[in-house]
Amino acid sequence: MKQRIHQIQLFMKFPNDIQEELLQRLIIQARYTEFGRRYDFSSISSVAEFRRRIPLQDYESLKPYIMRLKNGEQHLLWPTDVRWFAKSSGTTSDKSKFIPVTTEALEECHFKGGKDLLCIYFHNNPDSKLFDGKLLTLGGSHHVNAVNNESFYGDLSAILIQNLPFWIQLFRTPDRSIALMDEWEEKIEKIALQTMNEDVTNLAGVPSWMLVVLKRVLELSGKKNLNEVWPNLELFVHGAVNFSPYRDQFKLLIPKNEMYYLETYNAS
């Protein structure tokens, strides 16, 4: 992580150069896909050429490719096999949209983003004891569902929990079987019961959902606040909604000066 912080600082210093290099790498990787051949990715050598060559895309224009991917066709938009789809409600005409999630997206975007966030946190807080305890993660309330024998869809959070590296599984709580439960009320109860006796040092999830869990933990434990339940709690990584309306409620539940809050935007 100490090595990674230098790379992050480099990204901050040269953002345009880094973005152009990344775009070119993606174009080269995807040049032999159906989409890449259609727009002759092999001959694109600049951002300006990319803009001229490829029409602006939205979900509706990409939907025919996505439906074919869900039916098992491959190498349409990306050269490696697509097995996962993040189900997302959004601003399209469809009630739900399905976002292809590749192995590269998991590794290079979602997991690397989480590691980078921890890297920045440890850089700013070198005496942190985060890894001495457990990470309480609260994901979506939907199982991963089968599209067919080889493909699956679900909330992005469920897909991430299903695919997390083994080293993260050693530090997180609750058990994956509980984290992926579909029945919300039962899930909250089991999360609270399992985590209240753990040494939880950090939390991750949507503030509104996390509040429900934390209040249930307090009820079951009989403690005055979460400092008494988890004395080593130091960090809440949150996202998805504006944190401002929830800040005071979290301060009431966790009345300690050494509690830190980090916002991340993990979009499907």
Side-chain angles (χ1 to χ4, degrees), residues 22-33 36 41 77-80 104 108:
L22 177 57
L23 174 63
Q24 200 61 46
R25 190 163 76 243
L26 293 172
I27 291 170
I28 291 171
Q29 285 179 276
R31 66 190 184 278
Y32 297 129
T33 62
F41 275 17
L77 299 171
W78 190 245
T80 60
E104 290 81 6
E108 295 298 317

Side-chain angles (χ1 to χ4, degrees), residues 38-256:
R38 178 180 178 183
Y39 293 107
D40 193 15
F41 275 17
S42 295
S43 66
I44 295 176
S45 59
S46 68
V47 175
E49 181 64 24
F50 180 84
R51 287 173 174 160
R52 282 195 301 269
R53 184 82 56 80
I54 295 137
L56 188 65
Q57 304 293 314
D58 59 17
Y59 185 75
E60 291 304 315
S61 64
L62 293 174
K63 184 178 175 182
Y65 291 102
I66 294 171
M67 293 300 103
R68 289 167 61 193
L69 286 168
K70 283 182 66 183
N71 289 330
E73 288 189 65
Q74 296 294 346
H75 312 297
L76 304 178
L77 299 171
W78 190 245
T80 60
D81 288 355
V82 178
R83 303 297 184 196
W84 298 90
F85 297 87
K87 186 179 180 182
S88 172
S89 57
T91 55
T92 67
S93 58
D94 279 357
K95 185 177 181 181
S96 296
K97 53 185 177 181
F98 294 87
I99 312 300
V101 180
T102 64
T103 301
E104 290 81 6
L106 287 172
E107 294 291 341
E108 295 298 317
C109 178
H110 299 297
F111 297 154
K112 187 175 283 185
K115 285 186 281 187
D116 283 356
L117 188 142
L118 288 175
C119 177
I120 293 168
Y121 180 73
F122 278 110
H123 181 70
N124 293 329
N125 301 277
D127 297 325
S128 169
K129 304 295 183 184
L130 212 63
F131 284 131
D132 287 359
K134 292 289 186 74
L135 159 65
L136 193 169
T137 53
L138 182 61
S141 58
H142 294 290
H143 280 298
V144 172
N145 304 281
V147 177
N148 50 50
N149 291 335
E150 296 182 340
S151 299
F152 308 89
Y153 73 89
D155 285 357
L156 177 63
S157 56
I159 292 174
L160 296 182
I161 290 172
Q162 187 81 30
N163 288 279
L164 279 173
F166 78 93
W167 63 273
I168 285 288
Q169 301 288 5
L170 298 175
F171 291 101
R172 60 167 300 280
T173 188
D175 295 341
R176 189 161 62 181
S177 60
I178 296 174
L180 294 175
M181 286 179 65
D182 198 43
E183 178 51 52
W184 183 244
E185 296 296 331
E186 183 183 3
K187 178 177 178 175
I188 293 296
E189 194 73 10
K190 289 193 173 184
I191 290 175
L193 286 169
Q194 184 173 102
T195 61
M196 60 187 282
N197 296 315
E198 297 271 17
D199 180 18
V200 174
T201 59
N202 55 124
L203 314 168
V206 177
S208 52
W209 298 351
M210 187 62 73
L211 271 178
V212 177
V213 172
L214 299 184
K215 288 178 179 178
R216 187 57 182 150
V217 167
L218 274 185
E219 290 172 359
L220 292 172
S221 66
K223 305 294 185 181
K224 292 180 181 178
N225 57 58
L226 289 173
N227 295 349
E228 297 181 2
V229 181
W230 300 316
N232 298 314
L233 181 63
E234 61 174 272
L235 174 66
F236 176 36
V237 177
H238 57 88
V241 298
N242 179 14
F243 188 60
S244 298
Y246 302 97
R247 189 179 300 277
D248 290 342
Q249 295 182 67
F250 274 89
K251 285 185 176 180
L252 285 174
L253 292 172
I254 314 168
K256 63 190 297 187

